[in-house]
Amino acid sequence: MELAKKDHEQPSVQSLAISKPESRLYMSFISVAFISLLIGGLMGLLQVFIRSGKFTLPAGIDYYQILTVHGVILGLVLTTYFIIGFHFSLMGKTVGISIKQRKTAWVAFWIMVIGTIMTAITILFGEASVLYTFYAPLRAHPAFYIGLALVIIGSWIAGFVNWRQLALWKKAHPDEKSPLLAFMVTVNTVMWFIASLGVAVAVLVQFIPWSLGYAETINVLISRTLFWYFGHPLVYFWLLPAYMAWYAIIPKIIGGKIFSDSLARLSFVLFLFFSIPVGFHHQLTEPGIDPTWKFIQVVLTFMVVIPSLMTAFSMFATFEITGRRKGAKGLFGWFKKLPWKDVRFLAPFIGMLAFIPGGAGGIINASHQMNALIHNTIWVTGHFHLTVATTVMLTFFGISYWLIPYLRGRKLTPNINRLGIIQAIIWTVGMTIMSGAMHIEGLLGAPRRSSYSEYGGGEQVSEWIGYQMAQAIGGTILFIGIVLMVYIFIKLTFFAPKGEEEFPIAEEEVDAQPTPAFFENWKLWIGITVALILAAYTIPFIEIIQTSPPGSVPFDFPIGR
């Protein structure tokens, strides 16, 4: 149905439905994500072939071009578009969206698309082979940075729409707690906004003037610090939508209920607290930062283990309670009662399991002595592929199997469900081989961000060859999974039978404890977050400005590399 034309006319939570104009908006974001999946996946396939030493790129195409495309389009474009589309669908379903808000959301979409196109053109023309981290002194064409700025601005506008949606709902329902999924979306957009301020400052104040020639030098340490102020919470911006599905959607799919609304909200608040002021653990090997502040931020990094364990406890409690209600006996009888033949459950569940070794690898990455062993090796690349490319992506795929049919008015048929299960298995096998080889090769000292064929022969390189071939095999299997997933997306979008699919949002347990009202105190949560950031960054940032050189990087440093 078409919702009210004025912002203050919000429908009741009981009667919310997603209209066709809303569906077009949400599907536009999700469609860009799947186009990005195919392009970025192809670039990844080329990378593993090149690193195997058995393939060379055609003349005119540089390895670092495809490496940049792969990182930018999968790490930034795919994730951001899918997450914003998912956010909008959750908010539209739980608190509603007005015509005015929807029009503003379209403005956000087109600003992001323009920025994405600008960035893509510079990379494709070889003017921005700077990887998705775009570290100085690597310098790209100004359009690359301007495009990134537009993508960030567009995402902020989308976040402002989400906040407006919740604020108006609260105004209409002053004595009710906010819907759990709306609360979670708000936490994630608040985290994204605060975190992306760092990269926005770096791009607008440092990189754009430098690339345009208005500044002859750039302070490298400041730029890297600003990037990682953003870069680590970016990982949780990817991860929290998966947590939304785990907490509030998977229970419905398996026929259960949310274990604890309060625990779910608390875990998201803790992620907000401890995801942003921890960027120094990505800079443990860099001089110019006092070790004391590195240690403080490492401690804050490990605090995120608490909401992670809370989430694991909540999910497996939900699985066990649901299984026992279905008649499960014995210690692990509930395990057999889970819907293993439902891809909406299977794909996210594999993602959950992948997060166990992924989290263990994260502990290694953030530990000072162990980080010294694996820093700037392909171990780190393997870690990202285990967490973001497995945990997050398989959960996003699981979401797609019900969200796309719902938005398109089509059915998830048994055949498509079966294809989805095959796709999830292919993805798991391919990623296990490729990521496992990356981890082992990283322990042997193989560098990341590099084509290994450039290193010639030698005993050390010969040790890597087998693992490079394993990466090529795993990458090929993964690309087959990508092609299959894109085929499923097209099938669900255009060719699946017409019908109605469920938008699965779980209810709370009947005897659940009431959720404390203080969870709605956004001033408190944002205030604590800002205080933690100021405590972790103010003094070290002042010291960086005072003691680090301004960056004697000549303006004529080669563009792109």
Side-chain angles (χ1 to χ4, degrees):
M1 69 175 184
E2 183 73 335
L3 297 179
K5 293 187 177 181
K6 295 183 179 180
D7 274 356
H8 64 272
E9 297 176 6
Q10 293 288 320
S12 66
V13 69
Q14 290 81 10
S15 62
L16 294 180
I18 293 179
S19 65
K20 288 185 178 179
E22 290 177 60
S23 295
R24 283 194 291 270
L25 170 67
Y26 309 153
M27 279 300 299
S28 295
F29 281 98
I30 294 171
S31 297
V32 173
F34 276 93
I35 293 170
S36 302
L37 175 66
L38 183 60
I39 297 172
L42 177 60
M43 297 301 104
L45 181 65
L46 292 176
Q47 285 176 239
V48 293
F49 280 174
I50 294 163
R51 285 201 298 266
S52 71
K54 306 297 183 182
F55 182 83
T56 57
L57 287 168
I61 301 179
D62 182 76
Y63 175 80
Y64 296 95
Q65 263 182 283
I66 65 171
L67 183 56
T68 302
V69 172
H70 179 74
V72 170
I73 205 165
L74 293 184
L76 297 177
V77 176
L78 182 157
T79 52
T80 304
Y81 278 86
F82 187 92
I83 289 167
I84 292 177
F86 184 45
H87 279 178
F88 273 130
S89 68
L90 296 178
M91 298 297 284
K93 188 66 177 175
T94 57
V95 300
I97 185 170
S98 69
I99 294 175
K100 182 178 179 181
Q101 292 165 350
R102 194 175 68 236
K103 288 180 178 178
T104 306
W106 275 114
V107 172
F109 174 78
W110 287 113
I111 290 176
M112 290 178 66
V113 167
I114 292 170
T116 301
I117 292 172
M118 290 177 63
T119 302
I121 289 174
T122 59
I123 298 172
L124 293 175
F125 279 89
E127 299 291 329
S129 298
V130 294
L131 315 188
Y132 96 100
T133 50
F134 56 92
Y135 285 156
L138 299 178
R139 182 168 62 90
H141 191 280
F144 175 83
Y145 303 113
I146 295 171
L148 285 179
L150 289 176
V151 172
I152 293 170
I153 291 170
S155 70
W156 287 351
I157 295 172
F160 295 153
V161 172
N162 294 151
W163 299 341
R164 178 68 172 164
Q165 288 174 271
L166 182 60
L168 291 173
W169 187 91
K170 287 295 295 180
K171 185 176 181 181
H173 304 80
D175 298 325
E176 299 180 31
K177 69 177 180 183
S178 59
L180 176 60
L181 284 168
F183 178 90
M184 291 173 162
V185 168
T186 303
V187 169
N188 205 29
T189 51
V190 167
M191 182 182 67
W192 170 257
F193 179 78
I194 296 175
S196 57
L197 285 172
V199 73
V201 169
V203 168
L204 294 174
V205 177
Q206 288 189 291
F207 283 96
I208 291 179
W210 180 55
S211 64
L212 288 171
Y214 296 125
E216 293 186 356
T217 62
I218 186 169
N219 191 308
V220 173
L221 185 54
I222 288 178
S223 68
R224 288 169 70 95
T225 301
L226 288 172
F227 178 86
W228 284 116
Y229 167 88
F230 156 79
H232 186 77
L234 172 65
V235 175
Y236 290 99
F237 177 68
W238 297 331
L239 186 63
L240 289 190
Y243 275 47
M244 296 175 200
W246 297 356
Y247 269 114
I249 290 169
I250 293 298
K252 178 70 172 181
I253 291 173
I254 68 173
K257 297 181 183 296
I258 297 171
F259 175 70
S260 171
D261 181 276
S262 299
L263 185 146
R265 292 176 196 254
L266 178 59
S267 70
F268 268 63
V269 169
L270 293 178
F271 275 120
L272 177 64
F273 290 167
F274 301 120
S275 63
I276 302 175
V278 295
F280 284 167
H281 86 254
H282 290 267
Q283 299 174 271
L284 292 177
T285 61
E286 293 184 22
I289 302 173
D290 191 292
T292 301
W293 293 106
K294 292 179 180 178
F295 174 77
I296 290 172
Q297 293 205 15
V298 164
V299 172
L300 291 175
T301 301
F302 286 138
M303 293 297 290
V304 85
V305 171
I306 297 172
S308 297
L309 292 177
M310 289 166 59
T311 301
F313 172 81
S314 178
M315 292 313 305
F316 281 90
T318 298
F319 296 155
E320 181 174 2
I321 291 170
T322 303
R324 295 200 183 283
R325 283 176 177 166
K326 292 180 179 181
K329 304 295 183 181
L331 187 60
F332 296 108
W334 54 270
F335 194 76
K336 299 178 182 179
K337 298 294 183 179
L338 296 174
W340 298 109
K341 294 182 180 180
D342 187 341
V343 70
R344 301 175 303 164
F345 165 77
L346 178 64
F349 184 82
I350 296 173
M352 293 180 201
L353 295 182
F355 201 56
I356 297 172
I363 292 174
I364 292 172
N365 295 347
S367 301
H368 204 304
Q369 289 91 338
M370 287 188 285
N371 178 271
L373 174 65
I374 54 86
H375 191 82
N376 277 337
T377 73
I378 202 167
W379 162 288
V380 179
T381 310
H383 169 73
F384 284 153
H385 282 83
L386 196 59
T387 51
V388 176
T390 306
T391 296
V392 172
M393 286 311 304
L394 280 177
T395 303
F396 285 2
F397 293 161
I399 291 167
S400 300
Y401 288 115
W402 58 262
L403 180 58
I404 294 171
Y406 178 88
L407 295 176
R408 293 291 296 165
R410 298 183 182 273
K411 294 293 293 182
L412 174 63
T413 64
N415 284 337
I416 297 177
N417 182 77
R418 191 157 43 248
L419 276 179
I421 292 174
I422 294 171
Q423 192 277 337
I425 294 172
I426 289 173
W427 192 275
T428 304
V429 171
M431 194 62 76
T432 300
I433 295 171
M434 191 182 77
S435 177
M438 287 178 172
H439 278 85
I440 296 171
E441 194 178 3
L443 292 176
L444 296 174
R448 59 180 168 138
R449 304 191 184 102
S450 176
S451 169
Y452 300 157
S453 58
E454 296 180 0
Y455 286 81
E459 182 178 345
Q460 184 182 36
V461 175
S462 66
E463 290 184 291
W464 303 342
I465 292 175
Y467 298 109
Q468 292 168 13
M469 291 301 299
Q471 290 172 44
I473 294 169
T476 302
I477 296 172
L478 270 173
F479 187 70
I480 294 171
I482 288 172
V483 172
L484 182 55
M485 189 64 222
V486 172
Y487 169 79
I488 293 171
F489 167 76
I490 295 172
K491 190 83 172 175
L492 288 173
T493 303
F494 300 107
F495 301 109
K498 293 283 187 178
E500 293 184 2
E501 199 64 52
E502 178 187 32
F503 195 118
I505 300 178
E507 300 175 351
E508 286 185 74
E509 292 285 355
V510 176
D511 58 350
Q513 292 292 320
T515 302
F518 63 75
F519 278 113
E520 304 291 336
N521 191 340
W522 290 103
K523 293 181 180 178
L524 174 62
W525 306 139
I526 295 173
I528 293 174
T529 303
V530 172
L532 286 170
I533 293 169
L534 292 176
Y537 272 102
T538 302
I539 295 176
F541 204 81
I542 291 173
E543 291 177 350
I544 290 172
I545 294 173
Q546 291 176 339
T547 61
S548 67
S552 55
V553 180
F555 175 68
D556 61 355
F557 192 90
I559 289 179
R561 286 184 62 188

